[in-house]
Short mmCIF file of all heavy atoms in Angstrom, two decimals:
data_model
loop_
_atom_site.label_atom_id
_atom_site.label_comp_id
_atom_site.label_asym_id
_atom_site.label_seq_id
_atom_site.Cartn_x
_atom_site.Cartn_y
_atom_site.Cartn_z
N MET A 3 1.50 4.75 1.24
CA MET A 3 1.06 5.53 2.40
C MET A 3 1.36 7.03 2.17
O MET A 3 0.66 7.83 2.75
CB MET A 3 1.61 5.04 3.68
CG MET A 3 3.15 5.31 3.82
SD MET A 3 3.62 4.85 5.49
CE MET A 3 5.09 4.02 5.09
N LEU A 4 2.33 7.43 1.40
CA LEU A 4 2.73 8.81 1.28
C LEU A 4 1.73 9.69 0.53
O LEU A 4 1.72 10.90 0.65
CB LEU A 4 4.03 8.93 0.63
CG LEU A 4 5.28 8.62 1.47
CD1 LEU A 4 6.55 9.01 0.71
CD2 LEU A 4 5.26 9.31 2.81
N GLN A 6 -1.27 10.55 0.96
CA GLN A 6 -2.05 11.44 1.74
C GLN A 6 -1.27 12.20 2.85
O GLN A 6 -1.84 12.80 3.75
CB GLN A 6 -3.12 10.62 2.59
CG GLN A 6 -4.15 9.95 1.54
CD GLN A 6 -4.93 10.94 0.82
OE1 GLN A 6 -5.13 12.05 1.22
NE2 GLN A 6 -5.31 10.55 -0.39
N LYS A 9 3.86 15.83 5.49
CA LYS A 9 5.20 15.99 6.12
C LYS A 9 5.45 14.85 7.14
O LYS A 9 4.50 14.40 7.83
CB LYS A 9 5.16 17.30 6.90
CG LYS A 9 6.46 17.71 7.50
CD LYS A 9 6.48 19.19 7.85
CE LYS A 9 6.26 19.37 9.35
NZ LYS A 9 6.43 20.74 9.80
N VAL A 12 11.16 12.21 11.48
CA VAL A 12 11.65 11.09 12.31
C VAL A 12 12.92 11.40 13.03
O VAL A 12 13.86 11.92 12.43
CB VAL A 12 11.90 9.82 11.37
CG1 VAL A 12 12.33 8.62 12.17
CG2 VAL A 12 10.66 9.54 10.52
N PHE A 14 15.72 10.03 15.98
CA PHE A 14 16.22 8.90 16.66
C PHE A 14 17.73 9.02 16.86
O PHE A 14 18.39 9.65 16.07
CB PHE A 14 15.84 7.62 15.94
CG PHE A 14 16.37 7.48 14.55
CD1 PHE A 14 17.59 6.91 14.28
CD2 PHE A 14 15.66 8.03 13.43
CE1 PHE A 14 18.09 6.83 12.97
CE2 PHE A 14 16.11 7.92 12.19
CZ PHE A 14 17.40 7.35 11.91
N PRO A 16 20.89 6.89 16.05
CA PRO A 16 21.11 5.81 15.15
C PRO A 16 21.77 4.62 15.81
O PRO A 16 21.75 3.51 15.28
CB PRO A 16 22.08 6.37 14.09
CG PRO A 16 22.50 7.70 14.60
CD PRO A 16 21.57 8.16 15.69
N PRO A 23 12.19 0.63 15.38
CA PRO A 23 10.84 0.87 14.85
C PRO A 23 10.86 2.14 13.95
O PRO A 23 10.19 2.15 12.90
CB PRO A 23 9.95 0.99 16.01
CG PRO A 23 10.62 0.26 17.08
CD PRO A 23 12.09 0.50 16.93
N LEU A 28 10.77 4.55 8.55
CA LEU A 28 11.42 5.41 7.58
C LEU A 28 11.85 4.60 6.29
O LEU A 28 11.77 5.13 5.16
CB LEU A 28 12.75 5.95 8.28
CG LEU A 28 13.44 7.04 7.60
CD1 LEU A 28 12.53 8.24 7.37
CD2 LEU A 28 14.69 7.53 8.40
N LEU A 32 10.54 5.85 2.61
CA LEU A 32 11.44 6.28 1.68
C LEU A 32 11.56 5.24 0.48
O LEU A 32 12.37 5.46 -0.43
CB LEU A 32 12.86 6.41 2.23
CG LEU A 32 13.02 7.58 3.23
CD1 LEU A 32 14.36 7.61 3.84
CD2 LEU A 32 12.77 8.92 2.56
N LYS A 34 10.88 3.43 -3.05
CA LYS A 34 10.71 4.10 -4.38
C LYS A 34 9.18 4.28 -4.67
O LYS A 34 8.74 5.29 -5.23
CB LYS A 34 11.40 3.22 -5.43
CG LYS A 34 11.44 3.86 -6.79
CD LYS A 34 12.21 3.08 -7.76
CE LYS A 34 12.31 3.89 -9.09
NZ LYS A 34 13.21 3.18 -10.01
N SER A 37 7.85 7.15 -2.76
CA SER A 37 8.37 8.46 -3.31
C SER A 37 7.73 8.82 -4.53
O SER A 37 7.49 10.01 -4.76
CB SER A 37 9.85 8.28 -3.45
OG SER A 37 10.49 8.03 -2.21
N CYS A 43 6.10 15.26 -0.60
CA CYS A 43 6.13 14.95 0.78
C CYS A 43 7.47 15.42 1.46
O CYS A 43 8.47 15.01 1.00
CB CYS A 43 5.80 13.50 1.13
SG CYS A 43 5.68 13.11 2.85
N LYS A 46 11.83 14.74 6.97
CA LYS A 46 13.00 15.15 7.70
C LYS A 46 13.44 14.10 8.64
O LYS A 46 12.72 13.43 9.34
CB LYS A 46 12.68 16.42 8.45
CG LYS A 46 12.43 17.67 7.61
CD LYS A 46 12.36 18.91 8.45
CE LYS A 46 12.16 20.08 7.45
NZ LYS A 46 11.88 21.26 8.06
N ILE A 47 14.80 13.86 8.63
CA ILE A 47 15.40 12.92 9.52
C ILE A 47 16.34 13.60 10.49
O ILE A 47 17.16 14.40 10.04
CB ILE A 47 16.21 11.86 8.72
CG1 ILE A 47 15.39 11.22 7.72
CG2 ILE A 47 16.88 10.84 9.64
CD1 ILE A 47 16.12 10.44 6.63
N VAL A 48 16.04 13.49 11.79
CA VAL A 48 16.77 14.18 12.82
C VAL A 48 17.47 13.07 13.60
O VAL A 48 16.85 12.16 14.15
CB VAL A 48 15.91 15.06 13.72
CG1 VAL A 48 16.70 15.70 14.79
CG2 VAL A 48 15.08 16.01 12.90
N THR A 49 18.80 13.14 13.78
CA THR A 49 19.55 12.25 14.59
C THR A 49 19.92 12.94 15.88
O THR A 49 20.26 14.05 15.85
CB THR A 49 20.76 11.66 13.89
OG1 THR A 49 21.59 12.79 13.51
CG2 THR A 49 20.42 10.83 12.65
N THR A 50 19.77 12.17 16.93
CA THR A 50 20.15 12.68 18.29
C THR A 50 21.38 11.95 18.80
O THR A 50 21.74 10.90 18.30
CB THR A 50 18.97 12.48 19.28
OG1 THR A 50 18.76 11.05 19.41
CG2 THR A 50 17.68 13.15 18.81
N THR A 58 11.03 9.13 17.79
CA THR A 58 9.71 9.73 17.57
C THR A 58 9.50 9.78 16.05
O THR A 58 10.41 9.99 15.29
CB THR A 58 9.59 11.11 18.20
OG1 THR A 58 10.53 12.03 17.63
CG2 THR A 58 9.72 11.08 19.68
N THR A 62 2.29 14.49 9.53
CA THR A 62 1.18 15.44 9.25
C THR A 62 0.54 15.00 7.96
O THR A 62 1.18 14.97 6.85
CB THR A 62 1.76 16.90 9.15
OG1 THR A 62 2.43 17.15 10.35
CG2 THR A 62 0.70 17.94 8.92
N LYS A 67 -4.31 16.68 10.08
CA LYS A 67 -4.22 15.82 11.30
C LYS A 67 -2.78 15.37 11.54
O LYS A 67 -2.02 15.15 10.63
CB LYS A 67 -5.07 14.55 11.00
CG LYS A 67 -4.86 13.46 12.00
CD LYS A 67 -6.07 13.53 13.00
CE LYS A 67 -5.99 12.36 13.87
NZ LYS A 67 -6.84 12.45 15.01
N ILE A 71 4.05 9.96 17.37
CA ILE A 71 4.21 8.62 17.80
C ILE A 71 5.59 8.44 18.52
O ILE A 71 6.59 8.76 17.90
CB ILE A 71 4.14 7.68 16.56
CG1 ILE A 71 2.75 7.88 15.82
CG2 ILE A 71 4.27 6.21 17.04
CD1 ILE A 71 2.75 7.33 14.41
N SER A 74 9.55 4.22 20.22
CA SER A 74 10.24 3.32 21.11
C SER A 74 9.31 2.32 21.76
O SER A 74 9.69 1.27 22.23
CB SER A 74 10.92 4.05 22.23
OG SER A 74 11.91 4.93 21.67
N ALA A 79 6.21 -2.22 12.15
CA ALA A 79 4.95 -2.62 11.34
C ALA A 79 3.76 -1.96 11.95
O ALA A 79 2.81 -1.64 11.16
CB ALA A 79 4.87 -4.13 11.33
N ALA A 83 1.15 0.41 10.01
CA ALA A 83 -0.21 0.13 9.96
C ALA A 83 -1.08 1.24 10.37
O ALA A 83 -2.10 1.56 9.76
CB ALA A 83 -0.54 -1.09 10.80
N MET A 84 -0.67 2.00 11.47
CA MET A 84 -1.48 3.16 11.90
C MET A 84 -1.54 4.21 10.87
O MET A 84 -2.59 4.69 10.65
CB MET A 84 -0.75 3.68 13.23
CG MET A 84 -1.04 3.08 14.45
SD MET A 84 -0.20 3.64 15.90
CE MET A 84 0.03 5.43 15.67
N TYR A 88 -5.00 5.45 8.56
CA TYR A 88 -5.58 6.77 8.48
C TYR A 88 -5.47 7.34 7.02
O TYR A 88 -6.35 8.00 6.47
CB TYR A 88 -4.88 7.78 9.42
CG TYR A 88 -5.60 9.11 9.43
CD1 TYR A 88 -6.82 9.19 10.19
CD2 TYR A 88 -5.19 10.24 8.81
CE1 TYR A 88 -7.46 10.37 10.25
CE2 TYR A 88 -5.81 11.38 8.84
CZ TYR A 88 -7.06 11.53 9.58
OH TYR A 88 -7.74 12.64 9.60
N LEU A 92 -8.52 8.66 4.48
CA LEU A 92 -8.46 9.91 3.75
C LEU A 92 -8.69 9.68 2.29
O LEU A 92 -9.41 10.47 1.59
CB LEU A 92 -7.17 10.66 3.94
CG LEU A 92 -7.00 11.42 5.21
CD1 LEU A 92 -5.61 12.14 5.23
CD2 LEU A 92 -8.06 12.50 5.41
N GLN A 99 -15.87 12.23 -2.24
CA GLN A 99 -16.10 13.59 -2.51
C GLN A 99 -15.79 13.96 -3.98
O GLN A 99 -16.02 15.01 -4.44
CB GLN A 99 -15.30 14.51 -1.59
CG GLN A 99 -15.82 14.46 -0.21
CD GLN A 99 -14.88 15.24 0.81
OE1 GLN A 99 -13.82 15.67 0.36
NE2 GLN A 99 -15.34 15.45 1.98
#
Side-chain angles (χ1 to χ4, degrees):
M3 70 173 137
L4 284 187
Q6 298 297 330
K9 188 164 100 172
V12 180
F14 61 91
L28 194 57
L32 293 174
K34 187 172 185 175
S37 297
C43 181
K46 290 191 179 170
I47 303 166
V48 179
T49 57
T50 62
T58 59
T62 304
K67 173 97 173 168
I71 303 164
S74 303
M84 278 176 35
Y88 191 77
L92 281 181
Q99 293 176 348

